[in-house]
Amino acid sequence: MLQRHLNRWAWVFVAPALALFALIVLYPFVYAVGLSLFDWPLLGEHRFVGLQNYVRMFQDPLFRKSALNTLWWTLGVVPPILVLGLFLATLLNHSAMRLRGVYRTIYFVPVMTNMVAAAFVWRWLFEPTLGVVNYFLRTLGLPAPGWLATTRWALPAMMAVAVWKQLGFAMVIFLAGLQTIPKEFHEAAEIDGAGRLQRFWGITLPLLNPTIVFTAVMLVINALRVFTIPYVMSAGGLTQLTPGGPLNSTRVFVLHIYDLAFRRLELGYASANAIFLLLVILVATVIQIRVLQKPFEY
Amino acid sequence: MRRRFSPELILSYTLLTLGSAVMLLPLAWMLSAALKPLPEVMRVPPTWIPEQPTLNNFVAVFSQFPIARYLFNTLLVSTVVVASVLLTSAMAGYALAKFRFRWAQALFLLFLTSLMIPFQVRMIPMYKMMIQADLVDTYLGLVFPWLVDAFGIFLMRQFMVTIPKDYIEAARIDGASEWRIFFRVVLPQAKPGLAALAIFTFTNIWEEYLWPLIMSGSDATRTLPVGLQYFNEQYVTNIHYQMAAASLAVAPMLIVFFMLQKHFVEGITLTGLK
């Protein structure tokens, strides 16, 4: 009897979240899947085309370019953040390190900086003739490329901004994880004669594994869905130009979806592309968890 | 063997400081450019301390850049979303954590898997929905996608699982109503989790760009990130104005961050370690 009363209350508490969830998540999701099966321009007649959108998608050169750009982005952004973040966190974790809080704050500032503002600043920093980046490169005698004006260096420049923006986030999480590793583990291993590197591989990394997996998954999902940096840095969002230039070299997948849905107003086709993104994210996450997650014994 | 000034420590400090310079350089440049007249901004080699410091840029920007409006809009949207997320997540998390009912597992799984669905999939149908409901360029349309957050539900549930059942059952035996138990017994104990979720949600919504870009057709509902981009695209070659506007745009969040640093870090580590 009490159980029934409690059950009813459980539903009462879940109700608001569930109702909103149905309206905001479930319904649009089902709608999107449905949309993807139609040729549905925003204005005009729509007709059922079945899987034709998907067939068209795989043959679309813009789709392939966008997918490739996003792949490069993910591969070029996530590993550096993980490696650098872990490295910096290890430095900060040193027992005699005094300015830990200060450094942590400094490295976190980019994370807290508005992304649009940061993108505009970096756009100017990467300016080929007047920007600070090339000024430094020239002073060091290194070649100074045209960055955002070139098809070769535009995407890497934006990727650097993404690393800059998210490094602090990884570092803070890793630092917190490192600090939960009891000192005794390291001391015991040191007594047993284990060197610095051995201790890192044998103790730190396994114990840090859940944190690393979590951070990696988050970073990859962010990378696959990146939008603001390429959008703002390629055309500055100038409404006349299509962002993603030059020559689609910075057209990442969400930019592609945005262009299809809100510039070309092809809602059905855009939805198909969006569903593809969903599948990629799903597969990528599952693969990461399978491959990276390592159970361990104490 | 941890001497205070061992060579490895010195190396660490050096590397960390170099990295810090890279982290802060863009902001330093932004502020410096905001305070310079345009010719000096374009000068090579660049000057870091302005030789002709001026506040003119800010003055010009203020008259053209309705920052008060954008700030208000962003604040309103963020606050409404945080309130909605906290309430729905706490309640749902409580139900899933502390009530053993048949659908608890299934619902939890449902919420969890929805985290895989990227916003971009829902955004197109939601746009259609907003057009049909005539909610484009309104506050309601703006906050719509974020009123419930599966991540928040997940977080609160994980957190509430650790709250001891004794207090709750004692209160029940004493005849307290379920609402009273929720607000007086459970929520106070969930404060760290709620704080972390609040900070996390607030900063994410503040930064939101894609949906406000789609939703806001006029200054009436424009949020700060979109407003900044809109302003800057009108002043393409006026870098000094752009930097002044950017400085104004980053200031609020950075100020909040510096004041609440400790909570931010605690919040992040809480979400990360769970």
Side-chain angles (χ1 to χ4, degrees):
Chain A
M1 228 297 295
L2 182 63
Q3 190 54 37
R4 211 147 32 103
H5 163 83
L6 285 182
N7 278 358
R8 215 160 353 117
W9 272 103
W11 281 107
V12 169
F13 279 115
V14 173
L18 200 53
L20 282 174
F21 184 76
L23 183 63
I24 298 174
V25 181
L26 284 182
Y27 177 60
F29 174 63
V30 173
Y31 197 156
V33 176
L35 261 184
S36 72
L37 301 174
F38 280 76
D39 173 19
W40 199 310
L42 185 60
L43 316 148
E45 292 295 305
H46 54 267
R47 55 190 182 92
F48 182 79
V49 290
L51 293 177
Q52 223 182 35
N53 278 335
Y54 291 94
V55 173
R56 173 180 166 203
M57 183 174 80
F58 282 112
Q59 294 170 338
D60 186 352
L62 274 182
F63 162 81
R64 278 182 281 193
K65 185 83 179 140
S66 309
L68 205 61
N69 285 338
T70 313
L71 180 65
W72 288 133
W73 183 284
T74 312
L75 290 177
V77 167
V78 179
I81 295 180
L82 289 175
V83 169
L84 276 176
L86 191 54
F87 176 65
L88 291 171
T90 323
L91 291 184
L92 272 187
N93 197 33
H94 195 282
S95 52
M97 172 62 62
R98 298 241 257 128
L99 298 168
R100 197 171 293 146
V102 173
Y103 280 126
R104 195 176 55 189
T105 306
I106 292 179
Y107 279 86
F108 208 69
V109 164
V111 180
M112 297 305 308
T113 305
N114 184 287
M115 185 117 76
V116 175
F120 274 111
V121 178
W122 276 105
R123 206 157 77 105
W124 184 248
L125 291 181
F126 273 117
E127 222 281 331
T129 27
L130 304 169
V132 169
V133 172
N134 276 356
Y135 169 69
F136 275 136
L137 287 177
R138 284 194 202 106
T139 330
L140 293 174
L142 295 169
W147 296 118
L148 300 174
T150 65
T151 50
R152 185 144 186 256
W153 293 105
L155 197 64
M158 299 182 187
M159 282 159 53
V161 178
V163 173
W164 173 84
K165 185 123 203 333
Q166 297 178 90
L167 183 58
F169 174 73
M171 190 189 87
V172 167
I173 291 195
F174 286 148
L175 182 61
L178 283 176
Q179 301 202 309
T180 62
I181 296 179
K183 289 242 170 351
E184 298 87 53
F185 286 12
H186 281 285
E187 284 166 11
E190 219 175 334
I191 292 175
D192 281 348
R196 180 84 55 80
L197 213 57
Q198 281 174 301
R199 277 187 280 136
F200 187 72
W201 279 111
I203 300 177
T204 317
L205 274 190
L207 284 178
L208 214 50
N209 183 273
T211 315
I212 296 180
V213 172
F214 169 76
T215 313
V217 168
M218 296 230 60
L219 287 174
V220 166
I221 293 183
N222 279 352
L224 291 172
R225 302 188 306 175
V226 68
F227 176 76
T228 307
I229 294 179
Y231 183 82
V232 172
M233 282 181 82
S234 57
L238 286 170
T239 37
Q240 302 95 318
L241 298 178
T242 311
L247 289 184
N248 295 320
S249 60
T250 59
R251 189 184 176 98
V252 295
F253 206 73
V254 177
L255 256 183
H256 178 61
I257 296 178
Y258 175 81
D259 182 52
L260 290 176
F262 300 104
R263 297 284 171 86
R264 306 195 193 184
L265 304 179
E266 293 193 56
L267 298 187
Y269 185 47
S271 290
N273 280 273
I275 302 280
F276 178 74
L277 180 64
L278 161 66
L279 292 173
V280 169
I281 290 182
L282 228 110
V283 169
T285 307
V286 168
I287 290 182
Q288 276 180 82
I289 296 185
R290 276 289 156 81
V291 168
L292 295 178
Q293 192 106 291
K294 292 177 175 63
F296 55 89
E297 319 98 45
Y298 273 90
Chain B
M1 229 200 16
R2 309 245 182 234
R3 297 193 309 273
R4 269 263 232 109
F5 290 112
S6 64
E8 80 176 35
L9 204 57
I10 296 184
L11 186 61
S12 298
Y13 276 117
T14 317
L15 289 174
L16 284 168
T17 311
L18 272 176
S20 303
V22 175
M23 293 285 120
L24 296 179
L25 189 146
L27 288 173
W29 197 94
M30 174 186 77
L31 201 55
S32 152
L35 294 169
K36 289 187 217 158
L38 188 57
E40 194 186 338
V41 172
M42 309 281 236
R43 206 146 40 120
V44 174
T47 59
W48 291 94
I49 315 263
E51 283 176 18
Q52 300 166 297
T54 168
L55 289 178
N56 283 347
N57 301 337
F58 286 101
V59 171
V61 163
F62 261 118
S63 57
Q64 300 290 345
F65 182 52
I67 186 169
R69 181 88 215 185
Y70 293 154
L71 213 60
F72 173 73
N73 288 343
T74 319
L75 205 62
L76 181 66
V77 169
S78 301
T79 315
V80 167
V81 171
V82 168
S84 177
V85 166
L86 281 185
L87 198 60
T88 51
S89 302
M91 283 170 60
Y94 174 50
L96 294 178
K98 287 289 173 230
F99 290 78
R100 282 173 295 115
F101 63 114
R102 205 164 18 127
W103 295 96
Q105 275 278 61
L107 281 178
F108 187 50
L109 217 58
L110 177 68
F111 288 132
L112 217 52
T113 44
S114 80
L115 284 176
M116 292 281 99
I117 303 176
F119 172 73
Q120 287 76 14
V121 169
R122 304 186 282 133
M123 119 184 129
I124 298 169
M126 275 200 290
Y127 182 59
K128 276 186 107 273
M129 284 162 70
M130 293 297 104
I131 292 182
Q132 282 164 347
D134 203 18
L135 284 177
V136 182
D137 206 23
T138 64
Y139 287 123
L140 187 55
L142 208 48
V143 299
F144 184 73
W146 305 311
L147 291 174
V148 73
D149 185 4
F151 180 73
I153 299 177
F154 169 70
L155 195 68
M156 290 318 300
R157 187 248 184 207
Q158 299 298 87
F159 202 83
M160 291 197 178
V161 160
T162 63
I163 296 180
K165 247 185 145 57
D166 319 322
Y167 292 113
I168 303 175
E169 289 178 355
R172 239 176 235 142
I173 292 174
D174 282 347
S177 78
E178 291 297 325
W179 285 117
R180 203 185 175 82
I181 297 178
F182 179 67
F183 280 107
R184 288 302 176 84
V185 177
V186 179
L187 277 191
Q189 292 197 41
K191 268 214 210 112
L194 287 173
L197 184 58
I199 290 179
F200 181 78
T201 310
F202 190 81
T203 45
N204 277 355
I205 300 304
W206 189 278
E207 280 276 293
E208 265 296 326
Y209 183 66
L210 184 48
W211 183 251
L213 181 69
I214 299 170
M215 269 288 114
S216 52
S218 70
D219 272 351
T221 56
R222 214 163 255 145
T223 59
L224 202 50
V226 182
L228 176 65
Q229 177 250 311
Y230 185 69
F231 171 82
N232 277 1
E233 85 178 43
Q234 295 174 328
Y235 286 90
V236 182
T237 49
N238 292 310
I239 308 296
H240 53 320
Y241 290 160
Q242 284 190 22
M243 294 298 115
S247 308
L248 290 176
V250 304
M253 203 34 112
L254 282 181
I255 294 175
V256 169
F257 170 59
F258 278 114
M259 291 196 310
L260 299 177
Q261 259 181 72
K262 205 162 60 80
H263 298 278
F264 268 98
V265 177
E266 276 168 13
I268 302 236
T269 53
L270 193 82
T271 56
L273 295 180
K274 288 256 183 236

